[in-house]
Amino acid sequence: MTAPHVPQIRLYQQWLAEHRGLRFDDYGALWRWSITDLDGFWQSIWDYFELQSPTPHTAVLAKNVMPGAPWFPGARMNYAQQVFRHVRPAHEAGFSAVVSRNEKGRHVELSWPELRRQVASLAQHLQAQGVQPGDRVAAYLPNIPEAMVAFLATVSIGGVWSICAPDMGTNAVLDRFRQIEPVVLIACDGVSYAGRDHDRLAVVAELRAALPTVRHVVLHTNLAEGEAAQAEALQAASPCASFAAATARDDAATAAFEPLWLPFDHPLWIVYSSGTTGLPKPIVHGHGGTVIVGMALKILHNDVGCSYHPNSWGERFHWYSSTGWVMWNAQTSGLLNGTTCVIYDGNPGGSKDKPDWTTLWRFAAELGVTFFGAGAAFFANCIKAGVDLAACGDLSAVRALGTTGSPLSEDAQRWGTDQFRRIAKSEAQQDIWWCNISGGTDFAGAFIGGNRELPQTPGRMQCRLLGCAVEAWNEQGQPVIDEVGELVCAQPIPSMPLYFVGDVDHQRLIGSYFDTYPPGQGRKPGGGDLGPEAGAVWRHGDWLRIGADGSCVIYGRSDATINRHGLRMGTSELYSAVEALPEVMDSMVVDLEYLGRESYMPLFVVLREGTVLDDALKARINDSIKTALSPRFVPNGVFQVAEIPRTLSGKKQELPIKKLLLGQPLEKVINREAMANPGCLDWYVKFAASRARA
């Protein structure tokens, strides 16, 4: 495999010139066209990728309003239908659909026909259980081929998919699944992670008991090996169906199976993005918007090509993720374009007893990965561990590195570039291309990312993505260049949420993204205001600086959401876990993720009178977080305080304390007169000073 001869975005621009008569002097001009002529741009994406519908759409964007923009009315689509278009040509070319490996070395390859057969078999099993279009199917599965099969089977019949990772505790999973009322639960008996097996049958039983709408369970024996052990696991989870049996059908009915054609905005999946108060937000995305935005992102900007196309022959796409992160959805989207997806299930850093940050690199070398993606924290850990890629096997196929999840430091990018220069066996590796992206679970896409045709600068993302009217706004709500501001998107994109489950009158949706600035402000394509009927801009919750050259830097969250190792969690979920302990009266956590700094998350606790924060209590607090949420959200330190700073209305002052700990002066981040307990601030000022000296 060599780098694609022609970058995908150049092929698209050549198509625009030939079929639309559109030529642009530079990427900036192309981007401006894409955010001002929304109809022209998104119709070009539909046509360029030859998207199909048995019925024509009557408009591209029927009404430019946010939220609730109606895209491609009249069109019908199915995510699985788009995937299945590649079965015959990809198989005839000799390429697999999914290649998988786990910590124990278990290797699985799914051919395209086998993927289709298993999907058809499970889809018909679900239909036999009465699953109808619009019904929710919940999954508790790790990053394995079975999760992809279950997803495609669910959505092929119009079911709505939602998945949680098995490293999440029962409470965190129930906080999500209870809201969506699933009718089917597809789960596993356990997982292997960091060198240990983790039985999950007890959790599956708890989930079943706490989800009264679930009328059918399908169990995948992921941990049990051998017929006897698998039969025992199935018996323990009884009554349930065997995943292996449900995907075993191979007859005329499976051969004839076709995914249902659904309305463009039919719900596809429910993902969760946590705010700082209340339960996680159950965000619903649609088939059509997810497909069209996913293909534009994956192909044009990430430069991930079709494995059987001569220009990208042999492409193998890998982005390390757990199923609890939207990058699992992004990895799966490789299938939309006929790309072989290479997935790994396990800890990328080895076991606790034997840490090994070469694990993923050796995996990529053995399986011939061409595009290697991971969270920014992964590359930072490789530096700390002194990883030498020369000792990791033959990485000659790798032509691109992808990162997201948190800001990638200049040092990490330079490290990777230098490492590949030392082992370079191709021109692409002499100056390896970094596809650094920033987006969100919230709209299952990216706002900022890569362009293989543009210059690279360590620590920066190359551009704002096509179709994404992204700006940085100052405190007056004005777009600024070369200044840090709030990331806003001033125009709709097709993958913005359809709605939140259970959100009456869309009040929670509006409160999450659309209530910071007055409706109409900044909503005119190309700049300027519209009337309030146009709705408000999308405020994403990130600090952004846009350079004069169009490159971008994300500085971290502008709100109080926790972002640990690329996974976002609402602070309220952590408080529920910590404050359930009888010793803890109050608590506050801040995540000091910020560009150029090592991630650091302190937890402040107010304890019951007479209680001392000793090692035993710290361990109990950490264990509570591990059990209820995930080990990923254990704080870097726990500190006893007299009071948690609160507003007059009782709200915890997370964001001001975060800004204080990031070095901003107290008088600029907090108004003492708006506080219920301003006297407690002195302790936090001293803590911030000690952190600055450390």
Side-chain angles (χ1 to χ4, degrees):
M1 172 70 196
T2 59
H5 180 66
V6 182
Q8 301 291 338
I9 199 163
R10 191 192 305 171
L11 293 174
Y12 168 65
Q13 287 180 262
Q14 291 172 353
W15 182 92
L16 283 177
E18 181 180 349
H19 294 270
R20 296 289 194 271
L22 294 170
R23 293 172 176 81
F24 302 95
D25 292 337
D26 54 24
Y27 177 77
L30 173 64
W31 175 77
R32 284 188 292 275
W33 166 73
S34 77
I35 63 159
T36 51
D37 184 1
L38 298 179
D39 284 9
F41 170 68
W42 287 109
Q43 182 65 55
S44 80
I45 296 297
W46 179 288
D47 294 341
Y48 181 68
F49 291 119
E50 299 178 346
L51 297 182
Q52 297 176 348
S53 169
T55 56
H57 49 271
T58 56
V60 175
L61 177 58
K63 184 180 181 183
N64 188 336
V65 62
M66 289 201 292
W71 290 96
F72 294 96
R76 301 182 74 79
M77 190 170 285
N78 191 303
Y79 190 111
Q81 189 78 249
Q82 175 64 28
V83 171
F84 285 179
R85 289 174 64 178
H86 302 288
V87 170
R88 187 177 60 79
H91 184 62
E92 288 178 354
F95 295 114
S96 299
V98 184
V99 181
S100 170
R101 185 83 56 86
N102 72 359
E103 278 191 358
K104 295 181 175 180
R106 184 187 300 157
H107 183 87
V108 176
E109 294 202 26
L110 276 187
S111 69
W112 284 90
E114 178 63 9
L115 172 69
R116 188 197 178 286
R117 187 200 62 74
Q118 288 191 24
V119 168
S121 177
L122 183 56
Q124 291 172 320
H125 174 86
L126 294 174
Q127 285 179 320
Q129 300 302 318
V131 175
Q132 298 292 318
D135 284 346
R136 284 95 182 235
V137 174
Y140 188 61
L141 295 168
N143 185 26
I144 52 178
E146 288 80 3
M148 289 182 167
V149 168
F151 159 62
L152 291 171
T154 297
V155 304
S156 70
I157 59 172
V160 187
W161 171 260
S162 193
I163 189 168
C164 283
D167 67 351
M168 295 174 69
T170 308
N171 292 342
V173 176
L174 286 175
D175 280 349
R176 289 156 173 77
F177 287 169
R178 271 199 185 111
Q179 296 184 76
I180 69 169
E181 300 181 321
V183 300
V184 172
L185 175 66
I186 304 176
C188 64
D189 60 341
V191 291
S192 298
Y193 191 84
R196 293 176 55 197
D197 288 345
H198 303 269
D199 188 287
R200 286 292 182 263
L201 285 171
V203 177
V204 173
E206 291 178 67
L207 296 179
R208 184 207 296 266
L211 295 170
T213 55
V214 169
R215 58 177 186 255
H216 183 63
V217 175
V218 181
L219 187 77
H220 169 57
T221 50
N222 185 59
L223 208 54
E225 296 184 6
E227 288 185 15
Q230 290 169 350
E232 186 178 341
L234 289 165
Q235 181 59 38
S238 182
C240 68
S242 157
F243 189 93
T247 56
R249 186 171 175 178
D250 187 7
D251 55 17
T254 55
F257 175 80
E258 288 292 336
L260 299 177
W261 288 107
L262 303 164
F264 187 86
D265 60 356
H266 185 86
L268 171 71
W269 58 40
I270 301 168
V271 292
Y272 306 90
S273 183
S274 299
T276 55
T277 58
L279 292 169
K281 297 173 295 199
I283 304 169
V284 183
H285 296 134
H287 276 255
T290 303
V291 168
I292 197 168
V293 169
M295 293 187 73
L297 167 63
K298 187 69 72 280
I299 302 165
L300 302 185
H301 284 285
N302 292 6
D303 201 47
V304 175
C306 171
S307 296
Y308 61 87
H309 192 283
N311 189 59
S312 45
W313 189 262
E315 187 86 277
R316 285 195 159 199
F317 172 54
H318 166 74
W319 202 303
Y320 176 78
S321 179
S322 94
T323 50
W325 188 19
V326 75
M327 293 313 297
W328 177 83
N329 307 66
Q331 168 81 76
T332 302
S333 72
L335 297 173
L336 291 170
N337 192 41
T339 308
T340 300
C341 294
V342 181
I343 62 176
Y344 182 80
D345 177 36
N347 187 351
S351 67
K352 291 184 179 179
D353 299 336
K354 296 181 179 179
D356 180 7
W357 287 95
T358 70
T359 299
L360 270 190
W361 294 111
R362 291 184 288 104
F363 158 81
E366 290 166 20
L367 298 184
V369 166
T370 58
F371 186 107
F372 180 96
F378 168 79
F379 295 98
N381 280 312
C382 288
I383 298 175
K384 291 180 199 170
V387 168
D388 178 8
L389 295 190
C392 295
D394 182 5
L395 289 163
S396 60
V398 177
R399 60 173 185 82
L401 301 174
T403 67
T404 192
S406 57
L408 181 74
S409 69
E410 291 184 36
D411 289 344
Q413 186 160 340
R414 288 196 176 96
W415 171 84
T417 300
D418 290 344
Q419 286 280 326
F420 271 93
R421 188 173 290 124
R422 290 193 188 106
I423 64 170
K425 292 185 179 177
S426 66
E427 185 178 345
Q429 293 185 334
Q430 292 290 343
D431 184 22
I432 195 80
W433 178 57
W434 286 85
C435 180
N436 303 329
I437 68 173
S438 181
T441 300
D442 318 73
F443 63 103
F447 282 139
I448 302 164
N451 179 334
R452 232 183 90 207
E453 299 273 73
L454 293 178
Q456 296 193 92
T457 303
R460 288 176 173 267
M461 285 169 280
Q462 290 172 295
C463 62
R464 290 170 281 184
L465 267 54
L466 295 176
C468 299
V470 169
E471 296 175 338
W473 280 18
N474 62 18
E475 291 183 1
Q476 290 72 47
Q478 300 164 331
V480 293
I481 297 295
D482 279 328
E483 292 180 30
V484 176
E486 285 276 2
L487 190 164
V488 305
C489 185
Q491 298 300 327
I493 60 173
S495 64
M496 284 178 176
L498 301 176
Y499 53 87
F500 292 174
V501 175
D503 183 18
V504 179
D505 297 328
H506 299 299
Q507 289 307 299
R508 199 176 181 200
L509 175 68
I510 292 168
S512 296
Y513 310 112
F514 297 104
D515 70 347
T516 303
Y517 302 100
Q521 181 178 342
R523 283 283 289 112
K524 184 178 290 184
D529 298 339
L530 291 176
E533 68 280 356
V537 299
W538 172 292
R539 173 191 167 272
H540 194 55
D542 279 340
W543 295 122
L544 166 69
R545 188 179 80 223
I546 302 169
D549 63 352
S551 65
C552 298
V553 182
I554 293 285
Y555 287 88
R557 297 294 293 172
S558 63
D559 59 18
T561 302
I562 304 167
N563 184 4
R564 297 287 274 178
H565 314 295
L567 299 179
R568 290 180 179 172
M569 181 74 72
T571 52
S572 61
E573 295 189 78
L574 191 141
Y575 299 146
S576 295
V578 171
E579 293 170 19
L581 296 172
E583 297 92 341
V584 180
M585 303 300 293
D586 202 358
S587 63
M588 183 176 72
V589 68
V590 291
D591 179 10
L592 303 185
E593 174 227 1
Y594 200 75
L595 184 67
R597 299 170 185 258
E598 186 172 346
S599 175
Y600 181 76
M601 189 174 81
L603 171 66
F604 306 106
V605 293
V606 178
L607 300 180
R608 190 176 296 279
E609 190 173 348
T611 305
V612 177
L613 183 63
D614 55 16
D615 289 344
L617 181 53
K618 287 181 181 178
R620 289 185 61 212
I621 290 171
N622 288 340
D623 286 343
S624 181
I625 294 169
K626 287 180 186 177
T627 301
L629 304 180
S630 165
R632 300 167 192 261
F633 295 97
V634 170
N636 293 94
V638 184
F639 303 92
Q640 185 173 355
V641 297
E643 292 180 275
I644 299 300
R646 290 182 178 272
T647 64
L648 291 171
S649 62
K651 186 176 180 181
K652 297 180 185 185
Q653 295 275 58
E654 298 158 315
L655 189 53
I657 296 302
K658 174 179 177 175
K659 291 179 178 179
L660 176 69
L661 297 182
L662 286 171
Q664 297 187 39
L666 180 67
E667 61 274 11
K668 290 212 170 171
V669 301
I670 206 161
N671 178 5
R672 285 177 177 269
E673 294 181 0
M675 285 190 63
N677 53 352
C680 75
L681 290 174
D682 292 344
W683 186 93
Y684 294 92
V685 172
K686 291 176 183 175
F687 181 81
S690 68
R691 278 282 301 158
R693 290 193 299 268

